[in-house]
């Protein structure tokens, strides 16, 4: 966590009036100290904290980085026993090695941790451990175990975020966000929970076809790091106490498990390069990758050229970016399997920057033919069409994608952008309302629909659609407010 997030915690708690937690028709806390949190409430708390994170400047909204972490995470999640438990993985730009599970299956990963992984199995090992904290309901059990004064305080804190968000008090929301990040870090897992998460995580890793040695390897490295930190352990170790016992236990189990030697993941290497290339100043990132390439210290030459190309784009050296991309293509030629949609979106970006919009569009459409399920490619195409002021075409692509991903808030936000550019007020507010609704933010969604009702440019059919949806969302909000837990 960046220092700021820690520094403000104590004051944030003092400054939040308790009444705020119960504002906006939220349920009172009831006898929460006595009972486990219900899965529905866990889900709401997790989602509202994630919504707060979204406003944080460190929140990573890069569809390729987040998409990759979700692919690895969902592959693991598809092997858990309870199919009703869903997971969402999100990424924070933070150099410390950390990952954490929030209530409801929301799992945060720091870019520092992704960058430090030697293999995809290592990253998967940490995610499997976090997933197991969720499936074993450690968070709910830890909540229930806390003394009675801490539990309502922590729940109140989470609800205060919900309230601050819904009452649209931007200032208060920002303040609440500061405390949100610390729910997890204050809730240090016990040693028994850690061991359980290790064991379940190992099994999950194995069932998902990863190399189980990845988990041990990563935790061993964490432990080695921690001895260098003296009382200032990396974030992960603060929240997940790690001991030599735990590593030994993992080692014993792994001995009796199947080992797999998997090919290096190009996607991981590209994501790591992108994280590095988009950090700090573009110019520094250029020097960093040039050094890697000169000294051959990279893990993947292709990924190093890829990183250099992104860094050059950020440094506004478009010719340099194109040159680096030529080297990426050369590496692709050497290894026929070394190919990824991430390379195509980069190629299109470079074409666009060099003024070849038609070429960029062709690159993205060809990539979509090859990887029709890749949302990042589709977002890139929509963005390109919007930049070229071709909003009808952009909206057609959004509509097409919505057949496959009807619950993707990002597609609604892209719609908002095009409708706004076209001056279509009713449609703009209606789309924004859906984006909010998909994130469980009923109050702002209702507000947007109310604005849509007042918009001057709808027809009879559109207004009645808005009215019906407004009634639906008001009902949802009322139902949730009645929820006892
Ligand atoms: Zn843990």
């Amino acid at each position: 966590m960046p220092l700021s997030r820690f520094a403000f915690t104590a004051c944030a708690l003092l400054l939040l009036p308790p009444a705020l937690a119960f504002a906006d028709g939220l349920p009172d806390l009831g006898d929460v100290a006595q009972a486990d949190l219900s899965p529905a409430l866990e889900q709401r708390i997790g989602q509202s904290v994630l919504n707060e994170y979204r406003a944080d400047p460190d929140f990573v909204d890069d569809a390729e980085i987040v998409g990759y972490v979700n692919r690895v995470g969902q592959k693991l999640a598809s092997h858990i026993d309870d199919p009703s438990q869903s997971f969402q993985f999100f990424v924070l730009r933070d150099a410390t090695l950390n990952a954490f599970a929030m209530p409801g299956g929301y799992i945060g990963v720091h870019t520092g941790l992704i960058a430090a992984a030697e293999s995809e199995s290592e990253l998967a090992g940490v995610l499997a451990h976090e997933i197991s904290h969720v499936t074993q309901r450690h968070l709910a059990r830890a909540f229930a175990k806390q003394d009675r004064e801490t539990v309502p305080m922590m729940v109140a804190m989470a609800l205060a975020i919900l309230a601050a968000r819904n009452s649209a008090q931007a200032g208060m929301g920002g303040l609440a966000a500061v405390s949100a990040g610390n729910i997890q870090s204050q809730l240090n897992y016990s040693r028994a929970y850690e061991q359980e998460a290790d064991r379940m995580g190992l099994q999950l890793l194995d069932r998902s076809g990863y190399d189980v040695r990845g988990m041990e390897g990563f935790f061993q490295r964490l432990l080695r790091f921690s001895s260098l930190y003296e009382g200032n352990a990396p974030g992960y170790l603060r929240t997940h106490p790690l001991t030599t016992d735990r590593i030994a236990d993992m080692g014993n189990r792994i001995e009796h498990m199947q080992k797999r030697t998997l090919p290096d993941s190009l996607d991981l290497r590209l994501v790591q390069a992108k994280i590095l290339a988009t950090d700090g100043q573009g110019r520094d990132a250029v020097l960093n990758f040039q050094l890697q390439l000169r000294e051959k210290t990279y893990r993947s030459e292709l990924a190093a050229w890829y990183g250099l190309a992104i860094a050059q784009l950020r440094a506004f050296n478009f010719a340099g970016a194109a040159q680096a991309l030529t080297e990426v293509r050369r590496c692709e030629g050497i290894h026929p399997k070394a190919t990824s949609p991430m390379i195509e979106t980069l190629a299109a970006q470079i074409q666009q920057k060099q003024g070849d919009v038609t070429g960029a569009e062709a690159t993205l459409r060809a990539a979509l033919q090859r990887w029709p399920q890749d949302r990042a490619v589709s977002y890139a195409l929509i963005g390109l069409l919007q930049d070229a002021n071709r909003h009808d075409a952009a909206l057609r692509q959004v509509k097409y994608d919505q057949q496959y991903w009807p619950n993707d808030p990002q597609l609604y936000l892209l719609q908002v952008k095009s409708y706004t550019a076209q001056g279509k007020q009713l449609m703009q507010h209606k789309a924004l309302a859906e984006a909010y609704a998909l994130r469980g933010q009923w109050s702002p969604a209702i507000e947007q629909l109310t604005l849509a009702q007042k918009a001057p440019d709808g027809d009879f059919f559109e207004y009645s659609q808005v009215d019906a949806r407004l009634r639906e969302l008001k009902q949802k909000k009322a139902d949730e407010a009645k929820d006892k837990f």
Side-chain angles (χ1 to χ4, degrees):
M1 292 284 157
L3 190 62
S4 61
R5 255 187 233 145
F6 273 118
F8 283 107
T9 315
C11 3
L13 279 177
L14 294 174
L15 287 172
L16 281 178
L20 189 64
F22 314 113
D24 203 37
L26 285 165
D28 68 51
L29 290 172
D31 211 358
V32 72
Q34 309 284 350
D36 277 5
L37 297 176
S38 75
L41 183 67
E42 271 197 61
Q43 162 75 27
R44 278 170 59 197
I45 293 174
Q47 192 173 47
S48 64
V49 178
L50 177 62
N51 286 335
E52 282 303 328
Y53 267 126
R54 236 184 273 283
D56 191 304
D58 294 329
F59 187 83
V60 175
D61 60 4
D62 183 297
E64 291 177 325
I65 296 173
V66 179
Y68 169 71
V69 173
N70 270 280
R71 273 200 304 283
V72 176
Q74 299 301 347
K75 181 172 164 185
L76 294 162
S78 69
H79 290 90
I80 65 167
D81 296 325
D82 176 9
S84 71
Q85 175 67 57
S86 66
F87 287 90
Q88 191 174 332
F89 301 85
F90 63 100
V91 180
L92 298 173
R93 186 169 285 283
D94 190 317
T96 58
L97 305 183
N98 205 359
F100 53 95
M102 300 199 301
Y106 295 91
I107 292 176
V109 186
H110 285 187
T111 47
L113 187 132
I114 303 169
E118 288 285 350
S119 68
E120 187 169 292
S121 289
E122 285 197 358
L123 175 64
V126 176
L127 296 184
H129 175 100
E130 295 306 324
I131 287 173
S132 302
H133 276 313
V134 175
T135 55
Q136 299 310 106
R137 308 209 66 228
H138 287 163
L139 215 50
R141 280 153 64 190
F143 262 121
K145 265 204 188 138
Q146 297 284 323
D147 65 70
R148 289 181 188 197
E149 279 172 24
T150 2
V151 173
M153 185 197 78
M154 282 190 291
V155 177
M157 208 158 75
L159 288 183
I161 291 154
L162 201 67
R165 192 76 191 170
N166 285 351
S167 59
Q169 291 176 23
M172 215 55 204
L175 191 59
V178 169
S179 55
N182 296 288
I183 296 177
Q184 174 64 37
S185 53
Q186 289 173 359
L187 231 173
N188 292 354
Y189 292 121
S190 75
R191 208 185 263 203
Y193 286 167
E194 284 310 311
Q195 206 149 44
E196 193 174 39
D198 287 342
R199 290 175 188 178
M200 302 295 293
L202 266 181
Q203 283 172 24
L204 188 58
L205 203 56
D206 185 35
R207 252 183 288 167
S208 310
Y210 281 111
D211 183 9
V212 286
R213 288 170 297 186
M215 194 151 161
E216 192 196 8
F218 200 76
F219 282 113
Q220 228 157 20
R221 214 129 35 82
L222 268 174
L223 196 62
R224 256 204 315 276
F225 273 130
S226 75
S227 60
L228 303 173
Y229 281 77
E230 271 313 309
N232 185 19
Y236 198 80
L237 300 183
R238 269 197 302 267
T239 48
H240 303 256
L242 185 65
T243 58
T244 36
D245 284 5
R246 261 180 74 196
I247 304 239
D249 185 54
M250 258 187 264
N252 286 336
R253 276 163 204 281
I254 288 167
E255 224 169 274
H256 306 290
M257 293 170 89
Q258 191 194 339
K259 280 101 182 148
R260 298 182 177 90
T261 303
L262 302 172
D264 195 41
S265 160
L266 178 65
D267 282 350
L268 173 65
R269 299 300 169 222
L270 294 176
V271 163
Q272 288 175 327
K274 194 171 196 186
I275 286 171
L276 203 63
T278 50
D279 202 23
Q281 297 289 319
R283 193 62 221 148
D284 295 337
V286 168
L287 293 174
N288 192 332
F289 280 103
Q290 281 171 338
L291 186 71
Q292 271 193 35
L293 284 158
R294 207 169 36 242
E295 318 235 300
K296 296 193 191 325
T297 49
Y298 44 72
R299 291 178 180 125
S300 147
E301 188 191 352
L302 188 155
W305 287 113
Y306 168 87
L308 179 60
I310 295 178
Q312 292 286 26
L313 273 184
R314 291 188 60 226
F316 301 101
N317 180 357
F318 304 143
Q323 213 168 26
L325 181 68
T326 312
E327 297 293 337
V328 171
R329 295 295 193 199
R330 179 182 56 78
C331 297
E332 259 189 315
I334 299 168
H335 311 284
K337 276 190 187 156
T339 179
S340 161
M342 290 179 73
I343 297 172
E344 304 309 315
T345 54
L346 173 67
Q349 225 184 327
I350 294 171
Q351 284 172 303
Q352 186 188 8
K353 292 286 184 203
Q354 293 190 310
D356 180 12
V357 177
T358 317
E361 186 181 345
T363 302
L364 290 174
R365 290 202 185 274
L368 266 186
Q369 292 273 320
R370 249 177 109 184
W371 295 282
Q373 295 301 312
D374 197 286
R375 256 185 269 193
V377 177
S378 199
Y379 294 159
L381 177 61
I382 295 164
L384 180 81
L385 295 168
Q386 289 178 327
D387 287 349
N389 242 328
R390 290 166 56 196
H391 291 286
D392 282 329
L395 286 167
R396 267 200 305 280
Q397 184 64 33
V398 170
K399 266 249 145 31
Y400 178 82
D401 288 349
Q402 280 176 330
Q403 299 172 73
Y404 301 100
W405 306 301
N407 297 324
D408 181 358
Q410 182 62 24
L411 288 172
Y412 282 102
L413 293 174
L414 289 166
Q415 237 177 6
V416 172
K417 191 173 174 192
S418 281
Y419 284 138
T420 307
Q422 292 179 330
K424 292 183 178 164
Q425 296 179 38
L426 181 139
M427 297 303 278
Q428 166 201 334
H429 292 301
K430 191 166 162 253
L432 188 51
E434 292 308 327
Y436 279 128
L438 283 168
R439 289 174 176 165
Q441 295 168 288
W442 309 124
S443 295
I446 287 168
E447 202 178 299
Q448 287 301 318
L449 286 175
T450 313
L451 289 170
Q453 274 182 326
K454 290 180 197 146
D457 56 354
D459 59 28
F460 174 76
F461 176 70
E462 286 166 343
Y463 286 121
S464 27
Q465 255 190 340
V466 169
D467 291 344
R469 188 68 177 136
L470 189 56
R471 277 195 299 277
E472 232 170 71
L473 292 190
K474 280 182 173 166
Q475 189 59 51
K476 269 188 206 280
K477 188 181 163 189
D479 288 348
E480 211 167 72
K482 269 187 286 181
D483 232 3
K484 284 282 170 201
F485 52 87

